[in-house]
Amino acid sequence: MPLHRMYRVTTFVPPDHLDSLLEGVMREVPLTYAPYDHSAWWSAVGVEQFRPLPGSAPTVGKPGQVERVPTVRLEFAIPRDLALLARVLSRGFVPNHPWQEPVIFVGDSLATASHLASA
């Protein structure tokens, strides 16, 4: 089975913002994986903890106060293309995520998908 290089993007997002975040990302890339599109994976609801530092503008809570909020872990795969990644993050992701500074992990991965369509 051939392996294909791709980016795996992972974040944590409140469940009530999941759909709008996915819609924003899919305006930039169809999230094609093998013969499917709209491909994404998310976990059951968990907890995200953070403490806004002085000078921050948190969506939830106040600077200096520890916050715990329900979130899901969202992952999706895109073709390994830096320009596409930059567009997905700047246009599709950041404007549609509720946090001032969302946690975004980008990993260079190998996938067994029969193809990963280019945007």
Side-chain angles (χ1 to χ4, degrees):
M1 178 174 289
L3 295 172
H4 304 274
R5 292 185 80 181
M6 43 73 76
Y7 289 126
R8 182 173 57 179
V9 180
T10 304
T11 193
F12 299 88
V13 63
D16 56 343
H17 288 85
L18 177 65
D19 289 337
S20 61
L21 179 57
L22 279 171
E23 288 170 12
V25 168
M26 287 187 287
R27 280 192 291 273
E28 302 303 320
V29 65
L31 297 181
T32 301
Y33 190 89
Y36 303 90
D37 67 3
H38 290 72
S39 297
W41 307 268
W42 57 91
S43 65
V45 177
V47 176
E48 181 175 340
Q49 176 179 293
F50 54 90
R51 182 174 69 178
L53 297 175
S56 64
T59 306
V60 173
K62 298 176 185 175
Q65 180 179 318
V66 174
E67 293 294 329
R68 291 183 178 151
V69 296
T71 59
V72 294
R73 177 184 174 133
L74 170 65
E75 291 188 289
F76 55 87
I78 63 171
R80 192 173 183 279
D81 175 330
L82 276 175
L84 173 62
L85 176 62
R87 193 171 73 240
V88 166
L89 296 180
S90 66
R91 292 190 212 167
F93 198 99
V94 173
N96 295 291
H97 196 291
W99 298 156
Q100 177 186 11
E101 184 75 29
V103 173
I104 306 168
F105 298 104
V106 178
D108 190 10
S109 297
L110 297 172
T112 60
S114 55
H115 67 280
L116 285 165
S118 298

